[in-house]
Amino acid sequence: MKTLIIYCHPYDKSFNHAVLTAIKTNLTRNNSDFTVIDLYHDGFNPVYDQEELRLFHDGNTHDPLVKKYLALLKSASTIIFITPLWWNSIPGMLKGFIDKVMKEGDGLSHTVSKTGVHGELTNIKHTYVLTTSTSPKFYISLFNGNAIKRIFINQTLHQLGMQDRHWLHFGGITNSSLARRQRYLSKIANYHFK
């Protein structure tokens, strides 16, 4: 069982980075095989250019990182996304990752038929989305339309074939106490990722 972590934050002193460290500690302690995709560190370009779009329907790319990332996705059984929520949704970098890396075609991330999108990433049996935000979770869930759960997790990741989807969120980060942040990191360091 191989775990793929997709990390999306530009600042290595962020709470998201502390979450990444806690997860790596957890997986190492449990002798889990894992790989980290660090989108910012890798210098991933999330922007579609004309050539990339021209190659899309053939399942091709001219970006070597897209090939690398798609191969990692196809070999993973568990995926863990670590990302902040910015303006009620995932950052543009992570949206660009979904846009560019998820390629249409047999044996890639999805196929399209008259009845809709069919996910090909059924090898991913367990999916975890770990987010942070300045807004509390109740505000995101009840007053902001819950886009992360409703669209990203229940639609996009589902359409790609990713199974057993879970959302863990740390809200109110700006006004949180050190003790609360440490409790959450301890929870993540001891969480049972399948």
Side-chain angles (χ1 to χ4, degrees):
M1 298 291 194
K2 184 165 179 122
T3 298
L4 179 62
I5 301 169
I6 299 174
Y7 175 67
C8 182
H9 201 287
Y11 184 48
D12 65 2
K13 302 273 190 275
S14 69
F15 188 66
N16 282 265
H17 197 272
V19 170
L20 171 64
T21 300
I23 289 173
K24 288 165 63 175
T25 298
N26 177 328
L27 296 175
T28 300
R29 185 177 59 243
N30 289 298
N31 296 314
S32 297
D33 184 18
F34 69 91
T35 301
V36 177
I37 290 175
D38 184 335
L39 295 172
Y40 284 95
H41 183 266
D42 288 353
F44 176 66
N45 180 1
V47 178
Y48 251 111
D49 58 28
Q50 287 184 347
E51 180 64 8
E52 190 72 20
L53 193 55
R54 186 186 71 76
L55 295 168
F56 174 77
H57 286 293
D58 296 328
N60 291 319
T61 182
H62 69 92
D63 185 338
L65 281 176
V66 169
K67 291 178 184 176
K68 175 185 174 182
Y69 293 164
L70 189 53
L72 289 170
L73 283 161
K74 295 297 289 182
S75 68
S77 58
T78 296
I79 190 164
I80 302 170
F81 292 91
I82 304 170
T83 183
L85 295 183
W86 289 343
W87 293 106
N88 312 310
S89 188
I90 58 175
M93 177 67 89
L94 185 53
K95 178 66 168 74
F97 171 85
I98 298 293
D99 289 345
K100 280 182 72 173
V101 176
M102 303 309 162
K103 294 292 184 185
E104 179 183 338
D106 290 334
L108 298 174
S109 72
H110 65 284
T111 54
V112 179
S113 72
K114 292 179 182 178
T115 58
V117 175
H118 301 281
E120 300 290 339
L121 295 176
T122 56
N123 53 290
I124 299 174
K125 305 297 183 193
H126 307 284
T127 307
Y128 301 90
V129 178
L130 282 71
T131 57
T132 60
S133 69
T134 54
S135 299
K137 186 174 183 178
F138 78 87
Y139 183 80
I140 291 166
S141 299
L142 298 176
F143 301 106
N144 268 31
N146 207 7
I148 186 71
K149 180 88 173 181
R150 196 170 43 82
I151 297 169
F152 183 65
I153 297 170
N154 289 347
Q155 295 298 319
T156 304
L157 300 183
H158 171 72
Q159 284 181 305
L160 290 167
M162 298 181 192
Q163 302 167 50
D164 188 35
R165 295 172 306 279
H166 303 270
W167 178 34
L168 289 84
H169 182 72
F170 188 93
I173 186 75
T174 304
N175 297 312
S176 64
S177 67
L178 177 60
R180 182 170 166 249
R181 293 192 299 273
Q182 288 174 332
R183 280 194 305 273
Y184 183 76
L185 293 174
S186 178
K187 173 185 171 182
I188 296 304
N190 295 292
Y191 192 87
H192 179 64
F193 293 100
K194 296 178 183 176

